[in-house]
Amino acid sequence: MTALEPRDADVPRLIEDLDAPGVAKPAPPEGVLGRTYRALSIGIVSVVFLIAFEATAVGTAMPVAARELHGIPLYAFAFSAYFTTSLFAMVLSGQWADRHGPLAPLAAGISAFGAGLLLSGTAGTMWLFIAGRAVQGLGGGLVIVALYVVIGRAYPERLRPSIMAAFAASWVIPSVVGPLAAGSVTEHLGWRWVFIGIPVLVVFPLALALPEIRRKASGPADPAVAAEGFDRRRIALALAISLGAGLLQYAGQELTWLSLLPAVAGAALLVPAIRGLLPHGTWRAARGLPAVVLLRGVAAGSFIAAESFVPLMLVTQRGLSPTLAGLSLAAGGGTWALGSYVQSRPRVEPYRGRLMVGAMVLVALSVAAAPAVLIDAVPVWTVAVAWGFGCFGMGLVIASTSVLLLKLSAPEEAGANSAALQISDGLSNVLLLAAGGAAFAALGGGTMDAAHEAATTTSHPAAFAVVFFPMAAVALAGAWVAARVQERRVVPD
């Protein structure tokens, strides 16, 4: 025993000294709402809350807007315009944030998002309305990638699962309140106020978040290294991926021989762009980061493509009103947040990989179970139950892919890798929605417009089955991808 080691008899006295008044005790670790992170956490979660509210509220007001602007034939472009421009903005935001910090792209994104809402809300023609949605997409793409970079820089690794869970929780209230609030505003004040009113709410999160981001996450990742210029090749690839996705979306809606031309052109643009923007090995699910990026697309695309047809199926096949059909999915917001919360618990970390595999199996079973309501003897509420379980699985997977991406990324690569994750997410939504929509229309499915206007449709049950079952198969394939997100541990001899 050395002189520096306490004897057994000294231990009680040392404990008493630590408990004595005036002796500083180690402070417990701060959480995301601790004094250091409170303003930043509330600010960026408020940004996500507004994006969630916009997504649910605008979807409710959109059919009325299209009808009043005599733009029903262009209805789908109001959605695809947002996704296609956001794909380009994600790459731009990744480079911008990596080279100069996330503050500027986040501020520019929120401004563009608000400007797009105002442009759509004051539009006199459908094409101007679509232009506003495209500006919104630019803003949304800039914001979501910049937020990931903020998390990677401002929060220690132990807090990242918690802030991701908070992002998921911020969708719960909008998923329930958004459709009801937007429906009431549309009915009493007009659809334009749904778009015009949201930008006013942007002031609060800006006032909270931007000063904290400036203090904790501004500037380049390594100030000692001179900032590089933008990679023009990647910017060109981002533009190609947006144009290619838009052409494929158009071809999937037209379903004529002439639509093969834009389909071929879209594929010719997409393939090299995807290879250049996603990590090497993504399409073969190489272990680690490539598998994480691929899993995000497989999970998001299969689930969202199926979810978009659930309200239409309930309206046309079981006679529900559009409002009730939409609200049948509202409980999923809570179970999604619960799944995100579960993955944020420290004791779950050693089992994250296996948890993600099980979650993808749960998503696949949920998607496969939804078309059971095509049988009249099956109660309608079974869709809400099945979708609740599916959303729980999605909450586990989506938040976990975000956590793993930041864990596997160097600080100077967080923006580019976050952009790749979001590109995989957005692009899979566009492609699988286009594929599902084409199969649905080919088997005699009714149009979305008819469903929103509660008109009679001639949808055949098989048209829905051909959407849900292939998407369930894609989700099941995601279970295999999920088994590869964590690199093999090398056991020393």
Side-chain angles (χ1 to χ4, degrees), residues 101-467:
L103 180 63
L106 183 62
I110 293 176
S111 300
F113 192 78
L117 284 166
L118 291 174
L119 181 58
S120 292
T122 57
T125 66
M126 190 61 180
W127 280 115
L128 194 56
F129 181 89
I130 291 171
R133 292 288 293 165
V135 175
Q136 268 186 265
L138 286 172
L142 288 171
V143 167
I144 192 64
V145 172
L147 285 178
Y148 273 73
V149 177
V150 169
I151 293 170
R153 293 192 185 185
Y155 293 88
E157 187 174 326
R158 65 178 179 83
L159 291 181
R160 292 172 191 167
S162 297
I163 195 66
M164 292 299 179
F167 278 9
S170 67
W171 279 79
V172 175
I173 294 177
S175 66
V176 177
V177 176
L180 296 176
S184 179
V185 171
T186 300
E187 182 179 348
H188 294 95
L189 299 177
W191 64 268
R192 295 182 184 276
W193 286 101
V194 175
F195 291 84
I196 294 173
I198 293 176
V200 178
L201 304 177
V202 171
V203 176
F204 172 74
L206 281 179
L208 274 178
L210 294 186
E212 291 299 312
I213 294 172
R214 184 179 292 109
R215 281 193 287 269
K216 294 182 172 68
S218 62
D222 187 353
V225 178
E228 300 177 1
F230 284 92
D231 187 338
R232 295 183 181 180
R233 176 180 173 275
R234 291 183 65 85
I235 297 295
L237 290 174
L239 183 59
I241 207 171
S242 294
L243 292 175
L247 288 171
L248 284 178
Q249 179 93 354
Y250 172 79
Q253 292 169 353
E254 288 299 307
L255 289 181
T256 64
W257 287 109
L258 288 177
S259 66
L260 289 175
L261 294 176
V264 171
L269 288 170
L270 273 180
V271 172
I274 290 171
R275 291 175 63 87
L277 292 174
L278 299 186
H280 180 69
T282 296
W283 295 114
R284 56 183 174 86
R287 288 189 175 274
L289 183 63
V292 171
V293 172
L294 179 59
L295 178 61
R296 181 59 165 260
V298 169
S302 60
F303 192 77
I304 298 302
E307 186 180 58
S308 65
F309 284 89
V310 170
L312 183 60
M313 179 174 63
L314 294 176
V315 169
T316 60
Q317 302 300 307
R318 299 302 295 266
L320 270 66
S321 68
T323 301
L324 287 177
L327 288 176
S328 68
L329 305 177
T335 57
W336 190 306
L338 178 61
S340 296
Y341 171 80
V342 169
Q343 66 79 37
S344 71
R345 299 298 86 197
R347 65 182 63 183
V348 169
E349 184 61 35
Y351 312 102
R352 186 179 295 278
R354 280 179 283 179
L355 198 66
M356 294 170 75
V357 172
M360 286 308 302
V361 173
L362 193 61
V363 170
L365 292 174
S366 171
V367 174
V373 296
L374 294 171
I375 303 171
D376 290 338
V378 177
V380 173
W381 53 262
T382 57
V383 171
V385 174
W387 224 249
F389 281 103
C391 286
F392 177 78
M394 287 295 290
L396 287 169
V397 171
I398 297 301
S400 290
T401 55
S402 301
V403 170
L404 287 173
L405 177 113
L406 293 174
K407 184 177 182 179
L408 296 171
S409 300
E412 66 275 9
E413 297 175 345
N417 290 341
S418 297
L421 189 76
Q422 296 302 322
I423 287 171
S424 179
D425 188 319
L427 182 61
S428 66
N429 284 340
V430 173
L431 296 182
L432 291 180
L433 273 168
F440 180 73
L443 288 184
T447 64
M448 183 67 74
D449 298 325
H452 277 293
E453 296 174 9
T456 302
T457 65
T458 57
S459 301
H460 193 278
F464 291 100
V466 82
V467 172

Side-chain angles (χ1 to χ4, degrees), residues 2-26:
T2 66
L4 296 177
E5 294 175 335
R7 294 175 306 219
D8 292 344
D10 293 332
V11 172
R13 179 173 54 79
L14 291 174
I15 295 175
E16 289 177 3
D17 289 344
L18 286 174
D19 290 336
V23 176
K25 301 179 182 63

